[in-house]
Amino acid sequence: MVDALQRAHGWLRPTGCVLDAHPTAEPAYLEVQLAAGIVAVGRVNDIDGQAGPSSRHARADAALAEAVTRGWFAIEARAEFSFHRHADSVSEMRSHVQGKWKGAALDESALQRAATLRGSEPNARLWVREQVSIARLRPLEQPGTPPVMS
Amino acid sequence: MQLDPEGNETAVLDELLPDIRGLHVLEIGCGDGRLTRRYAARAGPVLAIDPDPAAIATFRDTIPSTLRRHVDMRTGTIATLGPPRRAFDVVLFAWSL
């Protein structure tokens, strides 16, 4: 990851910038929107210590921090936003997480609770919400640090 | 599945990069082009790469004709792009760092 940032530095014009978006360390939540409000029924859990989302996102944070420490970039701006993945059914959500999320899974009990809530309110909406951090990085002068291949 | 129908991601991108007009963009980890579609019409030439050939094939098959002219999508990573040259105004890591 640090290597990717160093390569990005090499591809940028001096006036350019890097934009990096990746989820924060906060878990992703399975939520149901009812007329009375939003109910969090469970979260996406890591099932693989190394490949799970928490580990990946922590490594991305560490890579950004190292690129700044090494003097390749300065962070100019940061923001956070909520990213929602809406499903039309509980089974669609289950398939999506199983197919698209490496090293992570939703608890079956959370899916069952979501199904129950949706059964009680036909217009209830179902989503997984992730908090995502985005940063704009300005390249600094090439520091002359030897390449680091991770 | 609907991903970010609220448009939160695009809104924050616009906030951090208010004027993308004409800028040369390298997008790392473009997948099937979900995010690329949201900004490419306003950008200059875009090179979008992803290590997953199936995702790139989907991107190629589904890209709107209006974007074909200035979006070049390829299978690969930043490490396989060749020797770096200072060619881009923006390098975008789209959930790929």
Side-chain angles (χ1 to χ4, degrees):
Chain A
M1 290 177 174
V2 175
D3 173 55
L5 285 166
Q6 189 179 35
R7 290 178 189 275
H9 190 288
W11 281 100
L12 273 177
R13 292 174 175 152
T15 55
C17 68
V18 162
L19 286 176
D20 168 66
H22 67 267
T24 67
E26 181 182 342
Y29 287 94
L30 179 65
E31 297 177 336
V32 180
Q33 185 183 42
L34 304 169
I38 296 168
V39 179
V41 296
R43 62 190 220 183
V44 180
N45 297 306
D46 285 19
I47 55 173
D48 180 325
Q50 283 301 306
S54 298
S55 297
R56 289 200 309 272
H57 305 153
R59 287 197 297 272
D61 285 340
L64 276 184
E66 186 169 342
V68 170
T69 300
R70 287 175 177 266
W72 302 339
F73 294 100
I75 295 178
E76 286 187 318
R78 277 187 189 275
E80 270 193 27
F81 62 94
S82 296
F83 187 89
H84 296 79
R85 299 161 190 263
H86 293 249
D88 290 332
S89 67
V90 168
S91 62
E92 184 185 26
M93 184 62 80
R94 181 190 290 112
S95 299
H96 176 75
V97 172
Q98 284 175 348
K100 298 287 187 184
W101 291 49
K102 291 177 189 165
L106 277 163
D107 282 339
E108 194 56 34
S109 60
L111 290 164
Q112 291 303 323
R113 184 157 180 235
T116 301
L117 289 172
R118 281 175 57 85
S120 67
E121 260 189 47
N123 293 327
R125 300 171 75 196
L126 172 68
W127 62 63
V128 165
R129 175 181 58 81
E130 286 177 281
Q131 278 303 110
V132 178
S133 172
I134 184 165
R136 188 179 71 226
L137 298 95
R138 177 171 51 87
L140 301 176
E141 288 299 313
Q142 190 66 277
T145 307
V148 175
M149 302 299 174
S150 57
Chain B
M1 291 296 296
Q2 275 191 294
L3 305 185
D4 190 34
E6 298 83 0
N8 293 341
E9 184 178 41
T10 313
V12 174
L13 270 178
D14 288 348
E15 185 184 310
L16 263 63
L17 199 62
D19 192 359
I20 199 171
R21 282 176 303 174
L23 298 185
H24 291 222
V25 179
L26 170 60
E27 184 181 342
I28 312 294
C30 63
D32 62 7
R34 177 192 63 79
L35 180 58
T36 321
R37 287 181 185 81
R38 293 190 170 192
Y39 71 82
R42 293 173 287 128
V46 175
L47 173 57
I49 62 173
D50 195 281
D52 181 357
I56 291 294
T58 300
F59 192 178
R60 194 165 282 131
D61 290 344
T62 57
I63 187 171
S65 57
T66 51
L67 296 181
R68 283 186 190 281
R69 280 184 301 119
H70 65 283
V71 178
D72 177 9
M73 66 285 285
R74 300 182 197 167
T75 302
T77 69
I78 195 167
T80 62
L81 273 180
R85 55 186 188 282
R86 300 193 178 283
F88 295 97
D89 301 297
V90 179
V91 176
L92 173 58
F93 287 93
W95 305 53
S96 57
L97 193 56

